[in-house]
């Protein structure tokens, strides 16, 4: 059974793309097959982090200009990418014909994937909520920055109220140490438990690490190039945690469910 996990946040720049790419590379290294959907239309940059240049995007698939196989790019061993580009915006308001095209194309995917990771834009725009609500597991990335916490709360609140989502995973990023990681999680979960009917599941923390920052600058993945660094070690633990845990939502299915949901047939 394959799984879909969206990496999302209320505030921008908290490390979603960095975590998606490194977790995917790590799962790929372990022999898993991973598909990334780059769902950030403004700053679509998953390919850049992998040091490759993707051709095309999902918008061209929806318009019939390309097949899904033509826009999928292999970015690392075991890891494929569907670039989103402006096409992501359209995913939340597909025409009937486009829904048909999307499902038809997805059913033609040649490879079977174990995981689909969705990198979303930050915030509570419709298309972000839409991608999150189609994913089996919503992984909210937060940092110790107070605005990151309030924005994460706002995102969880709208997903709960508008999309009836009530289970979320949380990873804390750019923390000083594990103690701070847990503190940040508890701040968020305390407020969420008090005011909303949701449950939050802590998936761990990633330390602020200069080596990671440098590797992003040189378009390299820290789990590949500096695998013993603190951030790489923590990202490996996160990948293991995601891999070893039970399927998060019993109600939602895997990759096929995700596409069905986007197409409105689920
Ligand atoms: N654990 C970390 N330690 C140090 N720097 C980090 C860490 N995580 C992310 N960064 C840095 O933070 C910056 C933002 O990261 P990234 O682009 O992954 O965030 P994002 O949430 O995807 O942003 P956006 O909301 O714009 O899509 C990058 O320069 C990255 O190198
Ligand atoms: Mg990003």
């Amino acid at each position: 059974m394959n799984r879909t996990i969206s990496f999302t946040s209320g505030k921008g720049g908290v490390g979603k793309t960095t975590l998606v790419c490194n977790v995917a590379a790590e799962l790929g290294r372990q022999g898993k097959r991973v598909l990334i959907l780059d769902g950030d239309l403004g700053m679509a940059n998953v390919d850049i982090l992998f040091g490759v240049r993707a051709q095309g995007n999902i918008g061209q698939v929806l318009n019939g200009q390309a097949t899904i196989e033509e826009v999928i790019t292999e970015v690392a061993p075991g890891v494929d990418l569907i670039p989103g580009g402006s096409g992501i915006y359209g995913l939340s308001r597909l025409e009937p014909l486009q829904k048909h095209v999307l499902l038809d194309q997805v059913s033609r995917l040649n490879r079977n994937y174990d995981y689909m990771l969705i990198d979303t834009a930050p915030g509570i725009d419709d298309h972000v909520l839409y991608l999150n609500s189609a994913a089996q597991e919503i992984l909210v990335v937060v940092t110790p920055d107070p605005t990151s916490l309030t924005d994460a709360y706002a995102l969880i609140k709208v997903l709960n109220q508008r999309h009836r989502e009530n289970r979320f995973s949380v990873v804390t990023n750019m923390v000083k140490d594990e103690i701070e990681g847990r503190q940040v999680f508890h701040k968020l979960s305390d407020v969420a438990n008090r005011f909303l009917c949701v449950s939050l599941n802590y998936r761990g923390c990633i330390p602020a690490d200069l080596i990671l920052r440098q590797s992003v600058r040189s378009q390299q993945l820290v789990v590949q190039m500096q695998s013993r660094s603190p951030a790489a070690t923590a990202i490996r633990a996160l990948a293991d945690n995601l891999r070893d845990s039970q399927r998060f939502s019993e109600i939602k299915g895997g990759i096929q469910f995700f596409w069905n949901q986007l197409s409105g047939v689920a």
Side-chain angles (χ1 to χ4, degrees):
M1 186 64 190
N2 55 48
R3 293 170 51 186
T4 59
I5 308 169
S6 63
F7 287 58
T8 196
S9 70
K11 182 177 154 53
V14 296
K16 297 176 295 298
T17 305
T18 309
L19 294 183
V20 164
C21 295
N22 281 283
V23 165
E26 172 59 19
L27 290 171
R29 193 192 61 77
Q30 296 178 3
K32 303 289 180 198
R33 303 249 15 161
V34 186
L35 179 63
I36 300 176
L37 175 62
D38 187 347
D40 190 345
L41 69 137
M43 305 281 286
N45 50 11
V46 171
D47 56 338
I48 295 171
L49 255 179
F50 278 101
V52 300
R53 199 83 198 109
Q55 302 292 324
N57 67 61
I58 201 162
Q60 293 165 329
V61 178
L62 298 174
N63 296 334
Q65 293 164 334
T67 66
I68 198 151
E69 288 291 341
E70 283 167 348
V71 302
I72 285 185
T73 308
E74 185 177 14
V75 288
V79 184
D80 288 348
L81 166 69
I82 301 183
S86 54
I88 285 298
Y89 202 54
L91 279 179
S92 58
R93 35 182 186 165
L94 294 175
E95 307 280 336
L97 181 63
Q98 291 175 315
K99 291 180 178 177
H100 187 77
V101 167
L102 180 64
L103 285 183
D104 183 48
Q105 285 293 316
V106 169
S107 71
R108 286 166 200 257
L109 278 174
N110 290 333
R111 273 148 270 160
N112 287 324
Y113 294 99
D114 301 300
Y115 295 88
M116 179 169 172
L117 307 185
I118 302 115
D119 181 20
T120 79
I124 55 168
D125 282 353
D126 276 348
H127 68 278
V128 175
L129 301 179
Y130 208 62
L131 289 174
N132 279 325
S133 68
Q136 214 169 32
E137 174 165 350
I138 301 170
L139 180 65
V140 181
V141 184
V142 283
T143 70
D145 179 347
T147 59
S148 154
L149 272 172
T150 41
D151 293 354
Y153 176 77
L155 174 66
I156 289 170
K157 186 175 166 186
V158 283
L159 277 167
N160 178 238
Q161 295 184 341
R162 282 199 228 152
H163 292 267
R164 300 273 169 267
E165 295 297 335
N166 52 19
R167 297 187 68 184
F168 299 85
S169 295
V170 176
V171 62
T172 53
N173 188 20
M174 303 193 217
V175 298
K176 231 174 19 222
D177 51 27
E178 290 194 11
I179 296 171
E180 186 181 48
R182 260 185 198 282
Q183 280 171 346
V184 170
F185 169 71
H186 283 300
K187 271 189 202 162
L188 181 60
S189 66
D190 285 352
V191 186
N193 290 336
R194 230 170 110 199
F195 297 106
L196 306 171
C197 200
V198 297
S199 74
L200 304 190
N201 172 36
Y202 187 46
R203 288 264 188 222
C205 63
I206 316 292
D209 186 349
L210 211 61
I211 298 173
L212 183 148
R213 194 167 286 272
Q214 284 159 354
S215 69
V216 169
R217 270 201 208 128
S218 54
Q219 287 184 267
Q220 290 174 334
L221 295 178
V222 75
V223 290
Q224 287 174 346
M225 304 312 291
Q226 300 280 347
S227 62
R228 287 165 190 274
S229 62
T233 306
I235 289 168
R236 269 202 305 280
L238 173 65
D240 290 348
N241 183 315
L242 291 168
R243 192 199 58 209
D244 294 339
S245 64
Q246 288 286 325
R247 271 195 303 131
F248 198 65
S249 163
E250 296 300 328
I251 301 163
K252 297 185 196 172
I255 295 175
Q256 188 61 48
F257 177 93
F258 178 86
W259 296 116
N260 286 349
Q261 184 87 356
L262 284 189
S263 310
V265 302

